[in-house]
Amino acid sequence: MRFCYSCMYQFEDESLNICPNCKKPLKTEYDTTHFLKPGTMLQDDKFTIGNEIGAGGFGNTYIGWDNLLKRKVAVKEYFPRRFSSRSEGSATVIVSGDENSVGHFRHGLQKFLEEARSIAGLNDVRGVVQIYSFFEENGTGYIIMEYLEGMDVKTILKQRGEKAEYEWSRRVMLTVLYTLREIHKRGILHRDIAPDNILVTNEGVIKLIDFGAAKGMAGNEDQHEDIVVKKGYAPPEQYSRTAKQGIYTDLYAAAAMFYKMLTGIRPQPANERLKQDELKAPSDIGIEIPGQAELAIMVCLNMQPQYRLQSAQEFMDALDGRDFEPVYEPEWILPQEDEENASISGFAIFIQKMHGMRTWQKALVLVLCLAVAGTATGVVVHFANSTKAEGVELVRKGDNHLPQLEEKTEEEALKSLDELGVQANITYNYNEACPVNTVVLMEPAAGSQVNNGSTVSLFIDSKELVTVPDYMGKSEDETVSALKNLLGNKYDKSMVTYGYTSSDDEKGICYSQTAKDIVQISEISNFKVRISWGTEKSYNVKMPDLKNKTLKQAEKFLADAGMDMEVVSTEEVYKDNIASGDIASQNIKSGKKFNNNKADSANYSVPAKVKVTISKGPKPTPRPTPRPTQRPVPTRKPVPVPTKKPAPKKPAPEVNDDNPFEIDW
């Protein structure tokens, strides 16, 4: 019986050169110094090894066959290239280097097997890959896993034009969160949620794969633990060996994957966001989704872990999935097959896909790792998603190759580079918990060949120094967000000041800062960035002429002129040329200039009110006083006066001579 070592199909015809199943050549070439020969038997002939299907700096993955249970398996082999090699045609792994290298190899092997033990504890979770066996052989270790055929979400998205509709993406996310909730209950963090690690089997089962970065939640943070990150999906705490990680770490990655599914854009890497955060909400790039879902995504993508959602259930609730139960139906999730993509759909996506190293410029800061553990001292193993062997070259004596500087102190790293004649370009990341300046990342990677005078980028955690980037030209929101992420609890709002510039188009952006590059944390409170208000003249407003306007019209006229003022009527006067009810005069002369920039409290000059007089209209003309009309006096006839008869004359009195004063009448 013959095997096709590409698909493990068995057949009897010895004359065939092409597999009748997968149509691939039956004879394949392999690198005898790095990979097992196809057909090699493991664990007393229980497992047959096929072709390698993935390789990285610290391991190989093969397709295999379980001879006892008659099924395909995926076989993961611990093979750190830096320390490992094989003799021609031999299965035994040879550890090269000194005793220190042997110690590293044995430590990594122990953690590699602990990874298997951790994942095996999740075998009752349907959404997690199954572990069948793990053991030591050939001087190294092996993990036997279930072999899955299907398509990962990354491939599905490619067939959908890199992004998918909301409801489809929501159902995938809820299924992933459902599985995360179960593994979190068992104290395990996945730490590598991404579209290429979510596999949809041909039966429609959504599986979380590649637990190479998994670790236990209860263990102490290991200062020597390797850093595992994936561009765009790893949160900032995964870039540090000392930062505490938790459920919120997986939720950041899950939100990043959801963001990618909806927008077709991989989120900005966290290490870049630490320097300058340019991540935009889906709605800002034209993606219409429910507001609650967008809020959940952006909250979980917060750079500060304490401000994210804190459980998978909370994320599910935000997506209206409180009572969600996974539905395993391939029809709703897998693309429809046709002749062109049938081979893709049926292609085996193997459970332990390997994630290769990338450069810092490509922003896939995937630092080589040793092993994963579900225990307190877990260290990580991570592999490359590649069909070709990639990884760190061996550092040979006499070769001008970079040594491993990560985990070294700054002093040790600079000394090593100085001995090679290599310059260092240092970026300091503020880390209050870091006792001594420590290299956390290097670019290019260890083992890379360098020349005398070359420059190596070192990224160093420090509690005393921070490298402040250039914020000029960035918006106020971007600048403030970047400062908060860069400085954490050292950020103070007084660091952001404001001023006028000479160009209108600079309004709202950072146009100066007091320092760039390296700044002492002890002096960071003196650091300032200045945000532009635009030109001062753009805030100059003139008092308009309010005459002939009603009070209501005047208030609107002022508002349109950029002047928030109250119009107050003080008196009413007669004005011949102004209609009654309109403004006749104002106490502030029209044309007078004011600064209406309220943010500039020192120079803001718009008065609170303007006083006006109201016209009563033209003054009325007085009427002349009319003269009274004289009535004609009627002519009267003369009344005849009656003639009176003369009275008879009295006789004259007699005078008494004896008494002349006595008259005798």
Side-chain angles (χ1 to χ4, degrees):
M1 187 70 69
R2 294 179 65 186
F3 272 110
C4 168
Y5 293 124
S6 294
C7 67
M8 302 313 289
Y9 179 75
Q10 298 179 57
F11 55 93
E12 295 181 353
D13 191 343
E14 296 290 335
S15 64
L16 294 178
N17 295 317
I18 301 295
C19 174
N21 181 53
C22 68
K23 311 303 181 185
K24 292 184 179 180
L26 294 173
K27 291 184 179 181
T28 57
E29 296 181 356
Y30 70 100
D31 182 352
T32 58
T33 62
H34 291 97
F35 300 105
L36 290 171
K37 180 181 178 181
T40 299
M41 309 292 280
L42 296 178
Q43 207 176 27
D44 297 327
D45 297 339
K46 184 177 180 181
F47 302 105
T48 300
I49 295 296
N51 290 338
E52 58 89 9
I53 55 177
F58 276 82
N60 303 320
T61 301
Y62 309 87
I63 187 173
W65 183 260
D66 186 330
N67 296 312
L68 182 62
L69 299 177
K70 307 299 181 184
R71 61 185 176 186
K72 292 180 187 179
V73 293
V75 181
K76 184 175 178 181
E77 177 186 48
Y78 179 63
F79 191 88
R81 291 256 162 86
R82 204 153 46 121
F83 312 123
S84 310
S85 63
R86 282 189 168 96
S87 299
E88 184 73 27
S90 173
T92 302
V93 174
I94 301 172
V95 181
S96 57
D98 55 19
E99 291 184 4
N100 188 43
S101 297
V102 174
H104 276 297
F105 181 93
R106 295 303 304 175
H107 179 73
L109 175 59
Q110 178 186 356
K111 299 306 176 184
F112 175 83
L113 297 173
E114 286 179 0
E115 172 196 350
R117 188 173 293 109
S118 296
I119 305 173
L122 303 174
N123 276 355
D124 61 325
V125 180
R126 188 178 184 188
V128 174
V129 60
Q130 302 292 293
I131 299 294
Y132 299 145
S133 181
F134 55 94
F135 52 87
E136 289 188 56
E137 193 170 330
N138 298 328
T140 188
Y142 297 89
I143 301 174
I144 311 299
M145 301 178 169
E146 73 174 313
Y147 177 91
L148 300 173
E149 291 184 308
M151 190 181 299
D152 62 21
V153 169
K154 181 178 180 180
T155 303
I156 295 174
L157 290 176
K158 283 184 178 179
Q159 296 196 18
R160 288 173 172 259
E162 295 298 344
K163 64 181 179 180
E165 63 276 10
Y166 172 73
E167 187 55 35
W168 183 91
S169 302
R170 171 182 168 273
R171 289 182 65 182
V172 172
M173 275 306 304
L174 286 173
T175 306
V176 170
L177 290 168
Y178 182 92
T179 303
L180 279 177
R181 184 182 66 184
E182 297 306 307
I183 70 172
H184 290 162
K185 287 178 182 178
R186 292 157 174 80
I188 301 295
L189 299 176
H190 186 280
R191 302 203 311 157
D192 199 12
I193 301 297
D196 56 342
N197 283 338
I198 308 300
L199 183 130
V200 184
T201 70
N202 290 341
E203 293 74 35
V205 178
I206 297 178
K207 292 264 190 178
L208 269 63
I209 63 175
D210 198 345
F211 277 73
K215 66 175 289 183
M217 286 187 271
N220 297 323
E221 299 303 320
D222 188 347
Q223 295 287 338
H224 302 291
E225 182 179 71
D226 288 324
I227 296 174
V228 178
V229 293
K230 181 171 288 184
K231 180 181 180 180
Y233 302 102
E237 62 266 23
Q238 278 187 246
Y239 286 78
S240 170
R241 289 179 178 82
T242 58
K244 185 176 177 58
Q245 299 180 29
I247 291 174
Y248 46 76
T249 302
D250 279 346
L251 296 187
Y252 181 102
M257 185 180 81
F258 198 15
Y259 185 99
K260 171 66 172 74
M261 295 164 70
L262 294 169
T263 65
I265 301 170
R266 181 168 47 190
Q268 181 187 12
N271 62 317
E272 295 179 11
R273 293 181 67 195
L274 286 169
K275 298 178 181 180
Q276 182 175 308
D277 196 345
E278 297 178 339
L279 183 68
K280 295 182 179 180
S283 59
D284 291 337
I285 53 179
I287 304 300
E288 295 183 3
I289 60 174
Q292 187 169 324
E294 178 173 84
L295 180 61
I297 291 172
M298 300 311 292
V299 165
C300 286
L301 288 175
N302 196 296
M303 297 294 280
Q304 301 295 327
Q306 65 270 28
Y307 298 126
R308 299 176 204 152
L309 299 179
Q310 299 296 304
S311 73
Q313 184 62 58
E314 288 182 357
F315 205 156
M316 293 174 70
D317 291 347
L319 301 181
D320 294 327
R322 172 175 289 275
D323 301 318
F324 176 82
E325 292 285 343
V327 177
Y328 300 118
E329 297 173 347
E331 291 77 14
W332 76 265
I333 188 169
L334 289 171
Q336 295 297 316
E337 290 189 20
D338 54 36
E339 292 182 1
E340 233 178 283
N341 63 27
S343 60
I344 299 176
S345 173
F347 182 76
I349 305 296
F350 306 104
I351 190 55
Q352 290 305 325
K353 297 186 307 170
M354 304 192 167
H355 305 274
M357 288 182 57
R358 298 292 185 271
T359 61
W360 178 271
Q361 289 86 353
K362 292 181 180 178
L364 184 53
V365 192
L366 184 53
V367 180
L368 300 178
C369 313
L370 294 178
V372 65
T375 60
T377 57
V379 181
V380 181
V381 167
H382 212 54
F383 299 110
N385 181 18
S386 172
T387 58
K388 295 184 179 180
E390 295 182 12
V392 175
E393 298 178 19
L394 297 178
V395 181
R396 302 177 182 85
K397 187 175 181 180
D399 286 352
N400 204 20
H401 288 71
L402 283 176
Q404 178 58 268
L405 302 179
E406 292 160 9
E407 299 186 13
K408 301 291 186 183
T409 66
E410 178 182 7
E411 183 179 358
E412 292 169 339
L414 293 179
K415 182 179 178 181
S416 296
L417 293 179
D418 186 58
E419 292 173 352
L420 291 173
V422 175
Q423 303 296 316
N425 179 19
I426 299 177
T427 299
Y428 291 99
N429 300 313
Y430 173 58
N431 185 347
E432 191 174 22
C434 187
V436 62
N437 290 3
T438 303
V439 179
V440 293
L441 294 170
M442 61 185 289
E443 170 57 37
S448 300
Q449 188 170 355
V450 291
N451 300 318
N452 188 23
S454 297
T455 299
V456 174
S457 296
L458 298 179
F459 300 88
I460 295 176
D461 273 2
S462 174
K463 67 176 181 180
E464 299 174 345
L465 299 170
V466 64
T467 298
V468 178
D470 186 351
Y471 296 117
M472 289 198 292
K474 304 303 176 185
S475 70
E476 179 180 359
D477 289 344
E478 290 172 336
T479 303
V480 171
S481 177
L483 279 174
K484 289 179 178 178
N485 292 328
L486 179 72
L487 302 176
N489 60 6
K490 293 294 183 181
Y491 170 78
D492 188 276
K493 62 182 180 180
S494 65
M495 294 178 178
V496 182
T497 59
Y498 301 84
Y500 297 108
T501 56
S502 58
S503 175
D504 287 333
D505 58 6
E506 292 180 349
K507 184 176 181 180
I509 68 160
C510 175
Y511 71 93
S512 74
Q513 60 191 85
T514 55
K516 299 174 186 176
D517 298 327
I518 301 171
V519 178
Q520 292 279 350
I521 290 297
S522 59
E523 299 177 0
I524 197 64
S525 59
N526 298 324
F527 175 77
K528 307 287 183 185
V529 295
R530 201 153 177 81
I531 305 298
S532 170
W533 279 326
T535 59
E536 187 171 9
K537 67 179 182 180
S538 66
Y539 292 96
N540 289 337
V541 293
K542 294 181 180 180
M543 171 58 68
D545 188 353
L546 304 180
K547 288 181 181 179
N548 298 302
K549 293 177 174 56
T550 65
L551 289 176
K552 188 174 182 180
Q553 289 171 339
E555 288 178 348
K556 184 178 185 305
F557 199 60
L558 286 169
D560 292 342
M563 306 183 74
D564 184 15
M565 300 175 67
E566 181 184 1
V567 183
V568 179
S569 172
T570 57
E571 63 176 323
E572 295 183 348
V573 295
Y574 289 110
K575 287 290 181 180
D576 292 343
N577 57 344
I578 298 177
S580 177
D582 288 354
I583 294 173
S585 65
Q586 58 196 75
N587 70 325
I588 300 175
K589 186 178 179 180
S590 65
K592 185 174 182 179
K593 293 182 179 180
F594 297 100
N595 182 322
N596 75 338
N597 183 7
K598 289 186 176 181
D600 183 12
S601 58
N603 296 301
Y604 179 75
S605 57
V606 177
K609 60 181 69 175
V610 56
K611 297 178 181 179
V612 299
T613 58
I614 302 299
S615 171
K616 294 194 293 184
K619 189 174 182 179
T621 302
R623 295 179 179 179
T625 303
R627 294 180 179 180
T629 303
Q630 295 182 353
R631 296 179 179 178
V633 179
T635 303
R636 295 180 179 180
K637 292 179 180 182
V639 178
V641 179
T643 303
K644 292 183 178 179
K645 292 178 179 183
K649 294 183 179 179
K650 290 183 179 181
E654 294 180 0
V655 179
N656 187 349
D657 294 336
D658 293 332
N659 187 0
F661 296 101
E662 182 181 351
I663 298 175
D664 188 8
W665 295 96

